Amino acid sequence: MLNLERLRTLDALARHGSVSGAADGLHVTTSAVSQQMAKLEREVGQRLLARSGRGVRLTDAGRLLADHAAKILSQVEVAQSDIEAQRGLVVGEVRLAAFPTAARGLFPAALSALRADHPELALRTTELEPDDGVRAVLRGDVDLAVVLDWSNKRLPVPGGLAKAELLDDAPDIAMPTDHPLAGRDEVDIEEFADDDWVSWPEGEFCYEWLMFTLRSKGVEPRIAHLAGEHHTQLALIAAGFGVCVAPKLGRGHVPEGVRLVPVRQPMRRHVHAVWRKDADRRPSIRAAVEALREAGRALHPPVSHDPPEG
């Protein structure tokens, strides 16, 4: 009989493409992955892995079994969801991911509420950028991810995932207090065509959004500084090194020397949760979504009263 955990290891190897990637995804050591695969090969009586340079690749038998493993694990997820739904209890483990400002702005309140209301629920969290969060949910590395997109640049949500909106976040432009536009009540983003920008790192979703937005206004951005943390971005603004987009969610303390001015045109970050549809009936997922929504309501008015999309 095939061992479920060994099939899970094979599935992780197929999805991640390496022993180290599978180990990271499963939160185990590389030696544990190798041991599980050696045992699985003995169980099936065939080689499932072959050397490929410094790494490994799946053999034909390995790919065949990996395809079956993905289907088996998906069916196990459905069975677990049905059992949890039938019992109606919020128990087990939920693995959550969020982009950094959502982790800072939503997780403390949401996790505290879940711990108080459902003490038997085990919670694990990690920080992931939106694209990585979606991929982690699809791979099964996390159960639910908090992701974002913008009103003028949407984040594709693949089929097989359910989505629930959590809140809308209207960002400001942060600038030094002696900036010529610092005394304004509103600004247009294209008015900063001659300014240096402090931006998120290249390759991140929000960096791509900033480049797309400024160029759509006829502005070629002058990106002078890259910083992943908003605290670092605002510290650079306070020191006079440019301007930046400053979302409200997870913003925290604004240092002296920084002026925040709203953008005249609608410019909003849409924050939502995504999870696999085959886990849609799990009470623990529903409880996590509602806790995140409540945390969002405490920060901003609710964006929707509709039930989560399924």
Side-chain angles (χ1 to χ4, degrees):
M1 182 176 293
L2 295 173
N3 179 279
L4 188 61
E5 288 307 309
R6 288 165 201 153
L7 290 179
R8 198 180 302 279
T9 302
L10 176 63
D11 177 66
L13 264 170
R15 288 185 285 103
H16 291 279
S18 69
V19 172
S20 60
D24 289 342
L26 295 170
H27 304 285
V28 298
T29 64
T30 54
S31 61
V33 171
S34 298
Q35 290 170 15
Q36 288 283 62
M37 290 305 302
K39 291 177 181 178
L40 185 58
E41 286 183 329
R42 289 197 294 271
E43 285 180 352
V44 300
Q46 295 191 62
R47 290 187 63 192
L48 303 175
L49 297 179
R51 286 287 175 189
S52 178
R54 293 186 176 182
V56 296
R57 62 173 177 81
L58 294 178
T59 64
D60 290 343
R63 286 194 296 270
L64 177 64
L65 186 56
D67 289 341
H68 285 292
K71 296 172 185 175
I72 291 167
L73 293 171
S74 177
Q75 192 59 43
V76 168
E77 183 77 53
V78 172
Q80 290 174 332
S81 297
D82 286 347
I83 289 295
E84 284 190 29
Q86 197 273 338
R87 293 173 63 194
L89 299 177
V90 181
V91 296
E93 180 181 79
V94 174
R95 300 161 297 168
L96 306 168
F99 59 96
T101 51
R104 183 164 61 246
L106 296 177
F107 274 0
L111 298 182
S112 295
L114 286 168
R115 182 172 59 186
D117 295 340
H118 310 290
E120 295 185 40
L121 183 64
L123 300 165
R124 285 171 52 184
T125 66
T126 188
E127 288 187 359
L128 291 174
E129 288 300 315
D131 289 325
D132 294 332
V134 169
R135 287 192 289 268
V137 173
L138 285 170
R139 291 195 305 261
D141 294 341
V142 300
D143 299 304
L144 181 149
V146 180
V147 299
L148 68 89
D149 55 22
W150 294 81
S151 50
N152 63 334
K153 187 175 177 63
R154 302 304 247 174
L155 177 72
V157 176
L161 297 186
K163 181 176 78 170
E165 294 194 19
L166 302 178
L167 61 99
D168 276 358
D169 187 15
D172 301 315
I173 302 296
M175 65 197 79
T177 52
D178 61 357
H179 191 281
L181 301 179
R184 296 266 295 274
D185 293 329
E186 290 182 321
V187 291
D188 294 314
I189 195 169
E190 60 266 30
E191 294 183 88
F192 299 90
D194 295 327
D195 285 275
D196 288 340
W197 282 89
V198 179
S199 171
W200 298 271
E202 290 185 48
E204 290 190 5
F205 186 80
C206 288
Y207 173 90
E208 301 298 336
W209 166 82
L210 180 63
M211 300 294 285
F212 169 81
T213 300
L214 288 170
R215 286 170 176 165
S216 72
K217 302 290 185 181
V219 176
E220 183 56 35
R222 296 210 320 249
I223 307 297
H225 305 282
L226 301 175
E229 284 289 334
H230 286 156
H231 296 317
T232 305
Q233 294 179 8
L234 292 176
L236 289 167
I237 303 304
F241 288 103
V243 300
C244 74
V245 175
K248 292 181 175 64
L249 178 62
R251 179 188 290 168
H253 172 71
V254 178
E256 290 185 15
V258 174
R259 169 87 164 107
L260 300 170
V261 181
V263 180
R264 180 177 291 111
Q265 314 103 313
M267 188 174 76
R268 292 183 175 272
R269 295 199 311 176
H270 306 295
V271 180
H272 45 267
V274 295
W275 65 95
R276 293 184 305 280
K277 286 184 178 179
D278 56 16
D280 199 49
R281 294 183 62 198
R282 290 177 59 188
S284 54
I285 295 293
R286 293 288 170 165
V289 171
E290 187 54 34
L292 289 165
R293 275 182 158 167
E294 286 296 329
R297 290 186 188 109
L299 299 172
H300 302 283
V303 297
S304 173
H305 294 288
D306 296 332
E309 298 173 15

